[in-house]
Amino acid sequence: MDNYGIDSHKLSFHPARLAEYLEKKDVYPIYIEIAPAGTCNHRCIFCALDYLKYRPHILKTRVIKKFICDIGKKGIKSVMYAGEGEPLLHPDIAEIVNFTKKQKIDVAITTNGVLLNKNILKQLLKNLSWLRVSINASNPKAYSQIHRTNARDFTTVISNLKEAVKIKRKKCSKCTLGAQFLLLHNNYEQAQPLARLLKNIGIDYLIIKPYSQHPLSLNRLKDKLDYKRLLRLEQKLKKLSDKEFKVIFRRHTMDKLNQQKPYKRCLGFPFWAYLDSQGNLYACSSFLGDKRFSYGNIYKESFEKIWKGKARKRIKKMLAGWNTLNCREVCRLDEINRHLWKITHPPAHVNFI
């Protein structure tokens, strides 16, 4: 059971913001994803952003803090530190996370987990809503092949997860500890052993998610994937779920991969934004590096000026006529787009509830 709404959306829990949107008001985002670092210590075979070349950009701490202050004043509810690189490669990531929470913004991290040592975990877990580790194999050899890194990293990550559980329990932290596994033909046999391992460690959940082809990524794993053959894993994995540990098998998303989108335009983009490691604020993470989708840069302007600026007005106009066939198969906003399309294109007799 997906207790976290991971395979759906949570826009319904923000009725005031949704009402403003439906009244054609210019709403601010609910959620922003931030890339503190552009570089990464892995070269995963499935990396969607491999085309960005893992450049060693690091967002300046003072610039991030100003941005966090700005968005907090505009009602942004949450920030996830992840992005086109490994967020823990930012030297001040713990300071940034804790500063974000002090601004009354919920904060989370997605990481490969290699740098989650005891010291940084003690600093992070007190303020994170959730921490999610990407781990895509159940043993060192397979892990090194999928993540394209040293096999020792697998042992390090597992050790770090054990430490995270220990600290969480000792400090009575409310941080949810999760993991995600990208289901591929290269690793499907690893899914069950990994789920058992994580359950024994004490992790809260494991997400089994499908690969979605990024329109700009260099890898072409889609050409080799057929999820119909892999769906048989769902029931086997779900048997491992219990009160303390959940396997969230994203069957709904897998089923959508070969379906035509029911919406003709992207409607959900006003509710989120993406800040890259160079300070560019984007409307869509599927087109990072494409300046047509950049609202502006936080090194040059404040968040409010960017959000009210000419570039964003131009992008809104562009997306009003944008063909979603040019987008990622199942993007971050897919479920929100489906929801908004249904609301804005209602069937007959809607008043007969």
Side-chain angles (χ1 to χ4, degrees), residues 28-29 33 52 55 74 86-88 95 114 124 162 165 185 210 226-227 236 262 287 299 316 327 335 338:
Y28 283 101
E33 183 172 332
L52 293 175
R55 296 182 180 116
K74 297 303 178 182
E86 166 53 48
L88 298 187
E95 176 186 345
V114 175
L124 290 175
K162 289 178 180 178
V165 172
H185 286 299
D226 179 10
Y227 278 106
K236 293 179 181 179
F287 297 97
Y299 283 95
K316 286 175 67 175
C327 297
E335 282 296 311
R338 290 168 183 259

Side-chain angles (χ1 to χ4, degrees), residues 46-82:
F46 54 78
C47 182
L49 301 176
D50 51 7
Y51 70 95
L52 293 175
K53 308 295 185 184
Y54 310 102
R55 296 182 180 116
H57 301 298
I58 300 290
L59 271 174
K60 291 183 179 179
T61 301
R62 62 172 177 79
V63 176
I64 296 181
K65 285 185 173 181
K66 181 182 184 305
F67 180 74
I68 292 300
C69 287
D70 287 349
I71 66 174
K73 293 173 184 176
K74 297 303 178 182
I76 281 67
K77 304 289 186 182
S78 65
V79 162
M80 178 177 75
Y81 291 106

